[in-house]
Amino acid sequence: MVSEKDSGYRKNFTLIVIFIGLISIIFVLSLFLAYNFSKKNIENDFVSAKANVLEESIKPYNDFFLNKLPEISYYNGFLDSATASKFTDTILLQYSFVEKVVFYDAQVKNLKYEESGISYGDCSIGTKSVFQFARSLPKDSIKLFGENDVINNADIDDFNKLSLKLITYVQKLDTAKIPTQEQLFSNFTNIRSNRIDYFNIPNFEDLKVYKKMIAGKLASDPVYQQDMLSFELDPSKLKIKNTRPLLYEKISVVPVTYDPLDTSSDYITGEITLGGPFSDYKLYFISAKSFVKKEIFSYFLPIAALLLLFYGVLVLVAFLIYRNLNINHKMFKLQYDFVTNLTHEFKTPVSVIKIAGNNIKSSSGLSEREQKMYGRILDEEADKLNGLMNKLLAFTQIENKAITLNQDEINIVDFIESTIEVHTLKHPDFDISYETSGFTTFITDPVLLGSLFDNLAENAYKYSPPKQKKLHITARMIKDRVVLRFKDTGIGIPSSEINNIFKKFYRIQNRYNQNGSVGLGLAFCKELVNFMDGEISVKSVVDKGTEFKIVLPYNN
């Protein structure tokens, strides 16, 4: 028996435990770092993603300011109340944050004084009529005043402020250089809190004339049409687009001076100013920490899954390494035992043959009785060696499919009786009985079937106590299959060993195996049965006996 230390393979459980423990610690540490990374990343997102929400939420305003407002200039100052009403209706319908639009039908004259507007030099800008438009406005409230009405300075205060800005810009205008669209847009627009005033932008040649009108009286006495629209805005009507609904629980438009009452540590808050005409307002973000934690976990779990997969791979590698070492250890032990037992099996008959040969050589004369005795000894031991070599050769040939299956018809009764005769002659104390039913002959390979019978019979004799060496063989036809049973009254096989007995070189450790066994008998039987397209199974009770069942195809 070889020890683990001598075998060259040592199952170092401590090293495996240390390895698994180390990767487990790394795994737990990685999970901790991954969670902190996820938490930090989501907290940073809470700050940075506000800009995305603001950008998406004010897109309608940007479209209104950059695309819709410039359309006023397309009318070149010739908007009337009806056209202005249609134009503003589209604005009120499309942009919910526009509450009211005031339309100023104005004109630029070469006068020193304008009652309904402002003058600078000989250039004056005044209103002819003013209209207001809203979603639900009474019809008698649409027109604020006309050309012959008394003007309330409060009604044209916004108009005068933007007119002054316009005249100031024209007075400083460099007529040798065409102004950019940005310069024109900024000087013809007045942006205040919740309000935008916009003059239609005249062409450059008209601006040159405006500049001349400021300088003095022109002979042509020109008059130019100008339109101004004033838009009242409501920031609370902006449609907030929450681009991160799993991050921001609630977003609202509040004044810049808004100070929330609930400043509990259970909440995370943030804010960002709207800007432009809404600069007095901000977007206020608030989320419960428990709400944000869900987003943290949604970010963390995929990372954790990858870490778990990597950890599982490492554990699997450790297991496979251990299993491989364990298998190598077992295979080394089996091979060692095989070589030892095979050597013993060969050594015994070789020693007997050598002793018999020496006796014959050293004897001056042998009697007839001695000659027969030595001849029988040499014959038996040679048969042992030949049988062992044939079994090894046959086993190798069957494993490698190097032989073909013969198909000969046999008489089952004659075949069993010949087997019984051989083994009772060899072992006079071996009691073998049999019975058959359902068939008489069938086609099979008689040599392989004989090897199967011989191995099972030898095992029944070897592993039975003295005076209990019995074997009962049955052969029956069941559903077009030949069922063979070999039932002995031997020592039996422990249930823990049942799954191992058909493995090559495997030997059950008991007193009957002390004299040597190569562990090929039952493995050889299984290979034979498989080669014959059959099945083999075993039932056993310790100290009561074992029954082998073989099922073979019936060919006839």
Side-chain angles (χ1 to χ4, degrees), residues 203-268:
N203 60 54
F204 186 50
E205 295 302 321
D206 290 345
L207 289 176
K208 290 181 179 180
V209 176
Y210 291 178
K211 187 173 180 67
K212 292 177 181 178
M213 290 166 62
I214 294 174
K217 187 68 175 174
L218 302 179
S220 59
D221 197 19
V223 176
Y224 291 88
Q225 300 298 317
Q226 283 286 145
D227 295 319
M228 184 186 117
L229 275 77
S230 181
F231 302 89
E232 291 186 13
L233 311 178
D234 184 358
S236 65
K237 298 292 180 65
L238 283 171
K239 293 180 180 178
I240 299 172
K241 294 185 179 179
N242 189 352
T243 57
R244 297 291 296 274
L246 299 179
L247 183 60
Y248 300 121
E249 188 173 9
K250 183 181 179 182
I251 307 173
S252 54
V253 179
V254 297
V256 172
T257 56
Y258 173 75
D259 188 14
L261 296 176
D262 189 358
T263 56
S264 170
S265 59
D266 295 332
Y267 293 90
I268 301 176

Side-chain angles (χ1 to χ4, degrees), residues 63-74:
D63 178 68
F64 163 74
F65 186 76
L66 298 175
N67 299 319
K68 201 66 180 179
L69 277 184
E71 288 184 13
I72 299 172
S73 298
Y74 299 162

Side-chain angles (χ1 to χ4, degrees), residues 88-101:
T88 55
D89 281 347
T90 61
I91 291 176
L92 293 170
L93 183 64
Q94 187 174 355
Y95 304 104
S96 59
F97 53 86
V98 180
E99 280 291 293
K100 187 172 73 171
V101 182

Side-chain angles (χ1 to χ4, degrees), residues 15-26 311 314-315 318-319:
L15 183 60
I16 293 172
V17 169
I18 291 174
F19 176 73
I20 294 178
L22 181 61
I23 63 174
S24 298
I25 293 172
I26 294 174
Y311 173 74
L314 290 179
V315 171
F319 169 74

Side-chain angles (χ1 to χ4, degrees), residues 177-323:
K177 184 179 180 182
I178 299 176
T180 64
Q181 288 299 315
E182 290 78 9
Q183 290 172 338
L184 292 172
F185 194 82
S186 63
N187 284 282
F188 282 75
T189 307
N190 193 23
I191 299 176
R192 293 175 293 154
S193 178
N194 301 333
R195 177 181 291 275
I196 298 177
D197 301 325
Y198 183 80
F199 257 127
N200 71 281
I201 301 175
N203 60 54
F204 186 50
E205 295 302 321
D206 290 345
L207 289 176
K208 290 181 179 180
V209 176
Y210 291 178
K211 187 173 180 67
K212 292 177 181 178
M213 290 166 62
I214 294 174
K217 187 68 175 174
L218 302 179
S220 59
D221 197 19
V223 176
Y224 291 88
Q225 300 298 317
Q226 283 286 145
D227 295 319
M228 184 186 117
L229 275 77
S230 181
F231 302 89
E232 291 186 13
L233 311 178
D234 184 358
S236 65
K237 298 292 180 65
L238 283 171
K239 293 180 180 178
I240 299 172
K241 294 185 179 179
N242 189 352
T243 57
R244 297 291 296 274
L246 299 179
L247 183 60
Y248 300 121
E249 188 173 9
K250 183 181 179 182
I251 307 173
S252 54
V253 179
V254 297
V256 172
T257 56
Y258 173 75
D259 188 14
L261 296 176
D262 189 358
T263 56
S264 170
S265 59
D266 295 332
Y267 293 90
I268 301 176
T269 61
E271 57 186 47
I272 186 169
T273 304
L274 288 171
F278 306 128
S279 57
D280 290 340
Y281 291 82
K282 62 184 177 183
L283 290 181
Y284 182 70
F285 302 79
I286 183 169
S287 299
K289 286 186 176 179
S290 58
F291 183 84
V292 175
K293 189 171 288 187
K294 295 178 183 177
E295 178 70 354
I296 293 174
F297 273 102
S298 68
Y299 191 93
F300 164 71
L301 289 178
I303 301 176
L306 289 174
L307 291 174
L308 181 60
L309 177 63
F310 184 68
Y311 173 74
V313 169
L314 290 179
V315 171
L316 179 61
V317 168
F319 169 74
L320 292 176
I321 291 173
Y322 166 73
R323 190 184 70 166

